[in-house]
Structure formats: structure tokens, C-alpha cells
Amino acid sequence: MMKKYSLNQRQITIKRLREFLQQSVNLEPELERFVKTLIFSLEMADHANPASHPCSSDCMPKVHH
């Protein structure tokens, strides 16, 4: 029950972030990259086992500042 709730919340968050990207005009490049990275991370979390994260920071997209 708890997993299903968190999964739904995650999907709602992904949807809202995508809408934010679509509606935003002249977004700072760093912010746009950050939001896209967030969406990617949330989508990957949907496919991963929430109990274990064998994938360390090595597989995360690198964001250069």
C-alpha cells in the first residue's frame, strides 16, 4: 500500500516537472538541466527496486556547474 502511494506521488511529480518545462520560456540552462535530471532520476527510481540501490552515483547523469 505504501509503495503504491509513493509511486503515484512520484509519477505526479514527474508530470508536474514536465509541465513546468513545457510552460517555462527562457529558462536558465542550469535550471532546465537540473529539472531534466530530476525527471530522469524519478523515472529511473520507478524502475529500480526501492529497497536497494545497486546503482551508485556512477550511473547518474553528471551535472557540471
Side-chain angles (χ1 to χ4, degrees):
M1 186 96 165
M2 196 66 172
K3 285 183 184 177
K4 187 176 175 96
Y5 173 76
S6 63
L7 181 68
N8 289 340
Q9 286 299 107
R10 192 177 294 136
Q11 289 171 342
I12 290 168
T13 303
I14 291 169
K15 183 180 176 194
R16 287 182 180 163
L17 287 170
R18 284 189 174 142
E19 288 171 358
F20 170 76
L21 277 180
Q22 288 173 356
Q23 294 169 3
S24 299
V25 180
N26 296 329
L27 205 61
E28 290 290 328
E30 293 85 3
L31 180 58
E32 186 176 347
R33 267 197 304 273
F34 176 72
V35 173
K36 287 179 179 178
T37 302
L38 272 178
I39 292 170
F40 177 78
S41 299
L42 289 167
E43 287 175 337
M44 290 299 104
D46 274 348
H47 302 295
N49 182 351
S52 66
H53 291 284
C55 178
S56 65
S57 61
D58 298 335
C59 69
M60 295 303 296
K62 304 285 187 243
V63 178
H64 299 286
H65 296 284

